[in-house]
């Protein structure tokens, strides 16, 4: 079995990050008054997309051959 665990983890984080980023883009700014005006959904969505992309890229790179 050659399943690399980084592939499903990268897909999961990328999908959740894209959903959070989209939600952060379409919600009104008044929703973020409690969080000092910071659009936390947008920023955490971007962080999750970047982490998911990093996991996907590292899973697709050729591994060490024995």
């Amino acid at each position: 079995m050659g399943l690399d665990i980084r592939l499903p983890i990268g897909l999961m984080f990328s999908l959740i990050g894209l959903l959070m980023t989209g939600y952060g883009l379409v919600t009104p700014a008044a929703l973020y008054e409690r969080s000092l005006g910071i659009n936390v959904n947008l920023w955490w969505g971007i962080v999750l997309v970047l982490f998911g992309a990093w996991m996907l890229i590292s899973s697709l790179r050729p591994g060490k051959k024995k």
Side-chain angles (χ1 to χ4, degrees):
M1 303 235 354
L3 178 64
D4 190 354
I5 193 67
R6 293 174 291 187
L7 182 63
I9 290 174
L11 289 172
M12 180 188 71
F13 276 96
S14 296
L15 179 64
I16 293 171
L18 287 174
L19 289 172
M20 285 183 70
T21 302
Y23 185 74
L25 288 174
V26 298
T27 51
L31 182 67
Y32 301 105
E33 290 178 2
R34 298 176 96 188
S35 60
L36 304 176
I38 299 170
N39 190 338
V40 290
N41 290 319
L42 176 65
W43 288 108
W44 271 109
I46 291 171
V47 169
L48 291 177
V49 166
L50 291 175
F51 178 72
W54 176 65
M55 293 295 279
L56 286 174
I57 290 170
S58 66
S59 73
L60 297 176
R61 291 177 49 196
K64 296 177 184 176
K65 294 184 179 182
K66 294 181 179 179

